[in-house]
Amino acid sequence: MTLERFDVEAIRREFPVLHQEVHGKPLVYLDSAASCQKPQSVIDAIGRFYAHDYANIHRGLHSLSERATHQFEAVREKVRGFINASDVHEIVFVRGATEGINLVARSWGSRYLGPGDEVLLSAMEHHANIVPWQMICQERGARVRVIPMNDRGELELDRLAELVNDRTRLIGLVHVSNALGTVNDVRKVIEHAHGRGIPVLLDAAQSVPHSRVDVQELGCDFLVFSGHKTYGPTGCGVLYGRQILLEAMPPFQGGGDMIRSVSFEETTYNKSPWRFEAGTPDIAGFIGLGAAIDWIERVGIEAIGAHEADLLDHALSRLDEVPGMRKIGEARQRAGAISFTLDGIHPHDLGTILDREGIAVRVGHHCAQPIMRHFGVQATARASFAAYNTRADVDALIDGIHVVREFFGA
Amino acid sequence: MNELRDLYQEMILEHSRSPRNRRVIDEDAGDVHHADGHNPLCGDEVTVYVRLEGGTVADVSFEGSGCAISTASASILTETLRGKSREEAEEVFRRFHGLVTGTSEASEEMGKLLVFGGVSEFPARVKCATLAWHTFRAAIEEQPADGPVTTE
């Protein structure tokens, strides 16, 4: 595939962290699914904000507070446009995708889940979309059920009809699996769920960085993603919720900024989204998120996705050359990441030796132990891609794997 | 590469390929204790079995699989601690821990355990090296641990 508009070398120049040696070797960063590196424009936006405009938001009458508030709320509007929500009040700022799910589980769950109710999740959820539901279900006497997956790492969506019933209150689903790279057919799930009046929450932490995610087109009811996996800073994330749902939900945490008036007898709450944003948020982080969205829009998310698809194809075919290679997850629709194991070599040993070759991959269970159990492994190695990766990075990984095999005499 | 060779010394690779005493000790074999260990970072799990005779480790074994470092560490643990009293075993643990965390000097009397000296250069791997040791300790505790031991 030729990508005329997409100049990966020019993009790489925008990421200062990439230009360094690790253990005397040029850094090859293949761990963007864990966290993505930041372009200079994001780093500068944070520095500029602190140097010129920083103050607390939503409470000062002075100029700095007004400027900070204005810039912070402008990011909310930017996020709205980025995921095409219909109203800016549908954008709740949270610490990350994990907090977004906890917010929905706690707030929505405490109102709508009762004894005998069911929350339907999938077999390939990240722990962040399992544990919050287990916690609230346990409290409310409800239970978690699971959409199974096949050995390719694809969900068995033809079983939806038998899994969804009159007790199903919500479906929580990962858009793109962090551990398998599977792209789920979320439209099919949403269509089925809405046919029965059931809301759907999408964990889009691994899809927003790689593809155009349009909440109105998808029709999802809740969606979460993390700033730090989307070229932005840590500490900032987004919960999208349909306004009618958010307005009916009780607060998540109590504190400043989420109230309308407080006395010791009674407190009335602010409207959504501020009702869900107690305390001072990571203001500069969200300023950085705004710059990250600007960066993505400038490069073009479609161009980024096409570039990564090319890297993925290249990696999948080159990994096939390696003896003893077992790919974990071979879904037909995939994005972003490849998990694998090598015969006779534990992923931890692989990761240590690759690191000495300057290659950063993630090894472990990827916060998805049910997936590991499904495939009968304790851990995998995972290579994941972003806009700044190259085919040469993939080739370096393959060379590194050969070094590992030689080292262990495999 | 030299640091890697220090980490993965030949004896470590050899024990990881052919671990010693990877077996269960039957509960009926006497004063048998066991504990489960878990490294939440990588998902590795190990079970350590110990048979005591009058306060001495008469037999020790393990089950489970993990990376080369954790498997070799469990294997060499079983060779090192057999025949040791509880107090001696505790002293060996203390020295081993000091070695792999780089907080105490290696000494000749540590014998085979010295092959783990390279671990201290790899902080992310210290837990791999110590998992079986923490689990051994839990197994011989007077008060059994509530649930598996973790390296966290």
Side-chain angles (χ1 to χ4, degrees):
Chain A
M1 188 188 306
T2 55
L3 299 160
E4 286 166 345
R5 213 165 63 77
F6 192 88
D7 180 354
V8 69
E9 289 308 323
I11 284 173
R12 290 179 65 79
R13 284 194 289 277
E14 295 190 61
F15 288 80
V17 78
L18 297 177
H19 306 285
Q20 64 176 295
E21 291 193 341
V22 170
H23 301 300
K25 306 278 174 66
L27 169 65
V28 174
Y29 188 77
L30 294 173
D31 196 20
S32 297
S35 200
C36 187
Q37 298 298 347
K38 323 303 175 198
Q40 190 66 50
S41 61
V42 169
I43 300 168
D44 288 347
I46 298 166
R48 202 165 47 236
F49 178 69
Y50 274 129
H52 298 287
D53 303 317
Y54 179 76
N56 211 333
I57 53 170
H58 297 153
R59 55 203 86 189
L61 269 179
H62 56 79
S63 300
L64 285 186
S65 177
E66 276 183 15
R67 283 203 319 248
T69 302
H70 176 76
Q71 290 180 35
F72 182 82
E73 289 302 327
V75 175
R76 201 186 302 274
E77 170 56 26
K78 197 167 280 178
V79 170
R80 185 206 63 73
F82 183 56
I83 59 172
N84 193 33
S86 59
D87 193 299
V88 73
H89 297 94
E90 297 181 317
I91 306 300
V92 183
F93 283 164
V94 289
R95 281 190 300 142
T98 296
E99 190 177 62
I101 296 169
N102 275 278
L103 192 163
V104 177
R106 179 82 9 220
S107 167
W108 182 93
S110 70
R111 173 144 299 177
Y112 296 103
L113 288 176
D117 286 344
E118 297 177 0
V119 172
L120 185 59
L121 307 175
S122 91
M124 64 175 78
E125 297 310 310
H126 186 283
H127 295 166
N129 202 25
I130 301 173
V131 183
W133 296 111
Q134 286 174 329
M135 289 164 68
I136 190 71
C137 282
Q138 196 167 22
E139 236 176 84
R140 309 292 301 172
R143 68 172 182 144
V144 166
R145 297 189 70 188
V146 182
I147 307 169
M149 69 175 162
N150 64 26
D151 289 341
R152 301 178 68 90
E154 294 165 332
L155 291 180
E156 296 179 5
L157 294 183
D158 49 349
R159 297 187 50 187
L160 267 182
E162 62 181 278
L163 287 164
V164 175
N165 60 45
D166 291 343
R167 301 317 300 262
T168 311
R169 291 288 171 264
L170 180 137
I171 300 178
L173 184 64
V174 69
H175 195 178
V176 173
S177 161
N178 72 309
L180 302 170
T182 306
V183 180
N184 285 314
D185 186 356
V186 296
R187 275 193 189 79
K188 184 171 179 175
V189 177
I190 292 167
E191 206 170 287
H192 190 95
H194 285 184
R196 308 198 48 161
I198 300 164
V200 176
L201 176 143
L202 287 188
D203 171 0
Q206 303 289 349
S207 57
V208 166
H210 306 295
S211 59
R212 176 66 63 189
V213 171
D214 179 327
V215 293
Q216 292 190 70
E217 191 201 351
L218 289 171
C220 56
D221 302 276
F222 297 105
L223 177 141
V224 297
F225 71 93
S226 291
H228 74 96
K229 295 189 201 288
T230 315
Y231 304 98
T234 51
C236 63
V238 173
L239 162 66
Y240 157 82
R242 282 204 292 122
Q243 201 165 5
I244 190 166
L245 293 170
L246 290 179
E247 284 300 339
M249 281 159 54
F252 173 47
Q253 294 173 330
D257 223 22
M258 53 75 73
I259 51 89
R260 188 162 285 141
S261 76
V262 176
S263 71
F264 281 104
E265 289 70 41
E266 190 188 25
T267 292
T268 55
Y269 303 121
N270 205 338
K271 63 181 178 180
S272 165
W274 301 284
R275 178 195 302 161
F276 301 107
E277 297 176 5
T280 299
D282 186 347
I283 306 169
F286 284 98
I287 299 301
L289 178 63
I293 292 173
D294 287 342
W295 185 86
I296 292 171
E297 297 289 19
R298 175 159 63 76
V299 177
I301 189 72
E302 290 79 9
I304 292 172
H307 172 68
E308 291 166 346
D310 174 66
L311 295 177
L312 203 56
D313 282 350
H314 184 56
L316 288 169
S317 68
R318 289 231 50 201
L319 285 171
D320 280 338
E321 295 168 15
V322 180
M325 169 68 54
R326 179 187 174 202
K327 282 181 258 177
I328 304 295
E330 298 194 77
R332 281 156 287 201
Q333 298 295 320
R334 56 186 306 158
I338 302 176
S339 259
F340 60 90
T341 59
L342 277 179
D343 279 353
I345 300 171
H346 191 281
H348 252 189
D349 298 316
L350 177 78
T352 291
I353 294 172
L354 288 179
D355 176 58
R356 294 282 145 161
E357 295 292 306
I359 301 164
V361 296
R362 169 90 187 263
V363 294
H365 53 58
H366 316 292
C367 299
Q369 287 179 334
I371 297 182
M372 300 296 113
R373 253 172 244 126
H374 178 95
F375 288 97
V377 295
Q378 282 163 328
T380 74
R382 179 189 68 190
S384 54
F385 306 107
Y388 43 70
N389 289 118
T390 63
R391 281 185 165 227
D393 290 344
V394 173
D395 296 336
L397 170 66
I398 304 297
D399 291 347
I401 292 171
H402 285 302
V403 169
V404 176
R405 294 187 67 252
E406 203 172 311
F407 191 90
F408 285 101
Chain B
M1 269 328 228
N2 282 342
E3 276 181 339
L4 278 180
R5 287 286 166 215
D6 284 347
L7 176 65
Y8 292 105
Q9 295 197 26
E10 201 42 55
M11 189 189 292
I12 290 182
L13 292 178
E14 197 272 319
H15 273 263
S16 77
R17 286 187 206 109
S18 322
R20 319 296 195 269
N21 299 308
R22 185 146 83 182
R23 57 184 162 80
V24 181
I25 298 176
D26 193 340
E27 293 279 347
D28 302 331
D31 185 12
V32 176
H33 304 247
H34 75 272
D36 297 324
H38 180 220
N39 182 351
L41 189 68
C42 59
D44 283 355
E45 287 169 347
V46 67
T47 304
V48 172
Y49 300 88
V50 187
R51 183 166 61 80
L52 294 173
E53 262 178 35
T56 296
V57 178
D59 193 9
V60 50
S61 69
F62 78 104
E63 276 212 311
S65 63
C67 62
I69 306 294
S70 74
T71 304
S73 169
S75 174
I76 293 174
L77 173 149
T78 64
E79 290 191 330
T80 309
L81 296 185
R82 188 185 304 204
K84 297 274 191 294
S85 70
R86 277 171 187 270
E87 294 72 27
E88 287 165 342
E90 184 62 30
E91 177 61 16
V92 175
F93 173 91
R94 203 182 57 73
R95 288 189 180 182
F96 176 76
H97 198 266
L99 177 74
V100 298
T101 53
T103 52
S104 65
E105 291 297 311
S107 63
E108 285 302 317
E109 60 211 86
M110 293 180 73
K112 270 187 187 177
L113 293 178
L114 288 171
V115 299
F116 291 98
V119 174
S120 64
E121 294 298 317
F122 294 78
R125 306 303 301 275
V126 170
K127 288 171 180 174
C128 308
T130 55
L131 176 62
W133 292 79
H134 285 293
T135 311
F136 169 84
R137 232 180 170 194
I140 60 166
E141 286 272 314
E142 299 292 346
Q143 297 288 327
D146 184 20
V149 193
T150 80
T151 50
E152 293 303 296

